[in-house]
Amino acid sequence: MLAWFDANTATILNGLALGAVLFLIAVGLSLVFGTMDVLNLAHGAVSLMGAYVGVAMYGAAPTTGMFFLAMVIAAVIGFAAGGILAGMVSPVRNHLRQALLTLGMALIVAELLQEVFGPEVRSVPVPGFLSSTINLMGNPYPVYRLAMVAAGVVVAIALYIILERTRAGAIVRATVADRAMVEAIGIRTKVVLALVFGGGAALAAVGGLLAAPILGAQPGLDDQILLLALVIVVIGGLGSLRGALLGALVVGQVQTIGVSVVNEFASFLLFAALAAVLLFRPQGLLPARKGAHV
Amino acid sequence: MNGDELLEVENLAAGYAGSRVLDGVSLTVGSGEAVALLGRNGAGKTTLMEAIMGMVTAMDGRVRIDGKDVTGKAPHVVSKAGVGIVPQGRRVFAPLTVEENLEIALRKRSGEWTVERVYDLMPRLRERRTNLGSQLSGGEQQMLAIGRALLGSPRLMLLDEPSDGLAPKVVEQVGEIILDLADTGMAILIVEQNLHLAFTVSDRLAIMRKGEIVHESSVVDFRRDEQLAHSLLGVG
């Protein structure tokens, strides 16, 4: 067993890195679903916008400054996109119409991105200061992937503090639990929801940007990202920060270990995990219980 | 209708998809007045409370708070116009601590009620401040729901069955809290099955049946006429 871990440390770390960016992307989808009761099918498209921010800004060898500027711009674009989507969706009550509306927006955005950036795979370079490798048990391992893990950890802690330790976070948790009652104590829940939507979309765009050096940027990636994020939300449980984190870690490991151990069954494994959760724990592993922490 | 009315409900019709629960209800509550809303289950009492608050959409008629028309407005607008609600089933925010439940309800502008003042009124809540809403007893939840409504510094309080599911001793405690509030000059509209509590708190009463108000009188007059009470409420 230990020997297996030694031999597969890089694979496990790769899974952690993938899980970390998937967490950034999926947590917004999950919280928007939990607070607004809206399934945002444009979430993958917003994430792909973030990847193309990298294509547009990085050039061949992005500097540190350019890397951080790109992150800010991806966040701003994502926040604006989320706010616009929230405004469009909020008067629509019917779930099917909400899904069709966000799917329509996703198709429009994907088409526009393809018009601007072309149909081919655009590779996105790793920023200079993160492009080195470190020695990991005799083998070189890219620092950038460790930085992805770090980004995931930082965002998870920051979100936890915001949601659990601030008044704004308490309002969000209350809105998940009983939206009409939050209105009745004088809080305009439409604004709460637009901010959650915008914040979630901003994280999705930043996640897309951070993942771009690994996944590239190409038409169709938005659908793959959306699918993975949906699997994460179902596995982890709706509207829950801890659920999104656990789901993303599971999906990251299943994807990478699956490919390295049983390559021909890898894509099947992901949906086997999904089916197992749906069969034995249909509410997800760590859902936002109406009576507990997010 | 004189200019002193804090709440004016005029010919209000409301309900849920496909069923009209309220059919032309008119009711007033003066500032500083406490009115009990009585009637059997399904008479429309809760729907009337929710329609005043904007939680149920009005189909016809008018709701005015201190002369300001709030018909069809979102609940947060009605809340800011000076109405607080302690809803049926209490609906405290279960995943939040007692303190968080109160803090998010605090409206900064008004400032008449503070979290500390709520704790002074109900010291039990101070003891339980770090507990989650889901960990409270029924009576504590009721106090929390009242405290939460108070932090909007309302001039009109809507109380929907505050004694529901509480032990007699706790009902007494909650009754005393409501009496304290009435003494501060807050207007109160209370739905209550516990007639002793309703009569203790209220100046006036209105009785609903099938979505309409069928009787209004002062509590004193009503209690004098046992036959009337019996025919309207099925009790003595």
Side-chain angles (χ1 to χ4, degrees):
Chain A
M1 195 69 185
L2 271 179
W4 184 85
F5 271 110
D6 278 350
N8 290 284
T9 308
T11 308
I12 294 168
L13 277 177
N14 284 343
L16 273 180
L18 180 63
V21 289
L22 288 177
F23 165 71
L24 294 192
I25 293 166
V27 69
L29 186 70
S30 180
L31 288 180
V32 166
F33 211 162
T35 51
M36 289 188 93
D37 199 23
V38 171
L39 180 56
N40 175 19
L41 294 178
H43 205 71
V46 173
S47 196
L48 186 57
M49 281 157 85
Y52 278 116
V53 168
V55 172
M57 292 185 60
Y58 275 3
T63 61
T64 308
M66 194 53 98
F67 170 65
F68 285 108
L69 182 62
M71 247 201 283
V72 171
I73 287 177
V76 169
I77 289 175
F79 189 85
I84 291 167
L85 281 166
M88 292 174 72
V89 159
S90 90
V92 183
R93 290 268 172 256
N94 178 298
H95 276 124
L96 179 62
R97 285 184 193 165
Q98 289 175 343
L100 288 174
L101 177 63
T102 55
L103 182 63
M105 290 308 292
L107 294 173
I108 291 169
V109 168
E111 202 59 38
L112 286 174
L113 288 173
Q114 187 167 341
E115 282 299 317
V116 176
F117 294 101
E120 66 278 3
V121 181
R122 304 287 295 265
S123 66
V124 177
V126 170
F129 76 113
L130 293 171
S131 63
S132 56
T133 59
I134 58 158
N135 187 327
L136 190 82
M137 287 178 247
N139 295 307
Y141 191 81
V143 168
Y144 187 74
R145 295 189 183 210
L146 296 177
M148 287 164 73
V149 176
V153 171
V154 168
V155 169
I157 292 172
L159 278 179
Y160 178 82
I161 291 171
I162 292 170
L163 282 171
E164 294 288 338
R165 295 281 177 267
T166 68
R167 183 170 183 268
I171 291 173
V172 172
R173 278 181 288 137
T175 309
V176 175
D178 190 343
R179 180 177 171 182
M181 197 58 226
V182 173
E183 272 278 323
I185 59 172
I187 294 169
R188 204 172 166 184
T189 52
K190 262 188 196 168
V191 175
V192 177
L193 300 172
L195 290 176
V196 172
F197 214 125
L203 282 176
V206 171
L209 174 70
L210 291 180
I214 314 285
L215 302 178
Q218 59 180 305
L221 183 62
D222 49 340
D223 296 337
Q224 292 173 37
I225 289 175
L226 177 65
L227 190 62
L228 287 177
L230 286 172
V231 171
I232 287 166
V233 170
V234 173
I235 287 181
L238 215 52
S240 136
L241 173 62
R242 295 177 309 153
L245 185 57
L246 182 64
L249 290 176
V250 168
V251 168
Q253 292 303 336
V254 168
Q255 284 283 77
T256 50
I257 295 182
V259 169
S260 90
V261 177
V262 280
N263 193 8
E264 61 269 42
F265 297 117
S267 60
F268 169 76
L269 270 183
L270 184 66
F271 294 101
L274 176 67
V277 169
L278 283 177
L279 267 178
F280 298 109
R281 218 178 137 77
Q283 73 274 37
L285 298 176
L286 294 170
R289 283 164 293 165
K290 296 283 172 184
H293 290 273
V294 170
Chain B
M1 233 171 262
N2 62 46
D4 258 4
E5 306 297 1
L6 187 54
L7 169 69
E8 292 170 71
V9 178
E10 197 182 307
N11 264 322
L12 188 66
Y16 308 89
S19 80
R20 187 180 269 239
V21 181
L22 299 183
D23 200 8
V25 172
S26 296
L27 178 76
T28 62
V29 179
S31 50
E33 188 185 29
V35 176
L37 191 58
L38 309 175
R40 298 202 175 94
N41 285 334
K45 304 177 303 274
T46 294
T47 306
L48 175 55
M49 299 289 239
E50 292 185 345
I52 292 169
M53 199 68 219
M55 298 165 91
V56 172
T57 313
M59 296 166 173
D60 200 4
R62 287 272 157 272
V63 177
R64 279 185 285 270
I65 306 296
D66 204 11
K68 186 188 172 201
D69 193 336
V70 295
T71 319
K73 293 280 194 289
H76 75 266
V77 177
V78 182
S79 165
K80 281 170 194 145
V83 186
I85 187 166
V86 177
Q88 192 175 44
R90 308 183 265 270
R91 290 169 75 169
V92 302
F93 300 119
L96 275 60
T97 64
V98 167
E99 189 130 302
E100 285 173 334
N101 264 278
L102 296 174
E103 274 171 357
I104 68 168
L106 179 64
R107 305 253 62 79
K108 278 167 194 152
R109 280 177 303 157
S110 42
E112 193 183 320
W113 280 87
T114 62
V115 175
E116 276 308 309
R117 190 171 162 204
V118 167
Y119 284 152
D120 289 342
L121 178 69
M122 295 172 282
R124 185 73 189 137
L125 291 180
R126 182 183 279 124
E127 291 166 31
R128 301 285 260 153
R129 64 203 296 170
T130 59
N131 286 102
L132 296 180
S134 55
Q135 296 167 330
L136 303 181
S137 71
E140 290 164 346
Q141 284 189 3
Q142 194 63 58
M143 290 178 199
L144 182 54
I146 292 172
R148 181 179 64 183
L150 285 175
L151 284 164
S153 295
R155 284 179 297 158
L156 170 68
M157 184 77 111
L158 308 175
L159 293 151
D160 198 344
E161 299 213 28
S163 80
D164 189 31
L166 303 185
K169 232 184 145 167
V170 184
V171 172
E172 218 168 281
Q173 276 180 17
V174 170
E176 276 166 29
I177 293 165
I178 298 170
L179 272 177
D180 283 350
L181 296 179
D183 285 346
T184 66
M186 188 177 291
I188 289 173
L189 180 61
I190 180 172
V191 168
E192 189 48 74
Q193 302 280 0
N194 183 325
L195 292 184
H196 176 70
L197 176 60
F199 290 160
T200 311
V201 171
S202 312
D203 311 308
R204 204 151 58 78
L205 58 81
I207 296 174
M208 285 187 80
R209 184 188 289 162
K210 292 180 185 158
E212 287 176 80
I213 291 183
V214 293
H215 177 82
E216 278 187 86
S217 66
S218 75
V219 169
V220 177
D221 289 347
F222 187 78
R223 297 189 81 172
R224 233 178 257 144
D225 195 339
E226 268 182 44
Q227 233 181 338
L228 178 68
H230 194 82
S231 70
L232 285 169
L233 293 172
V235 290

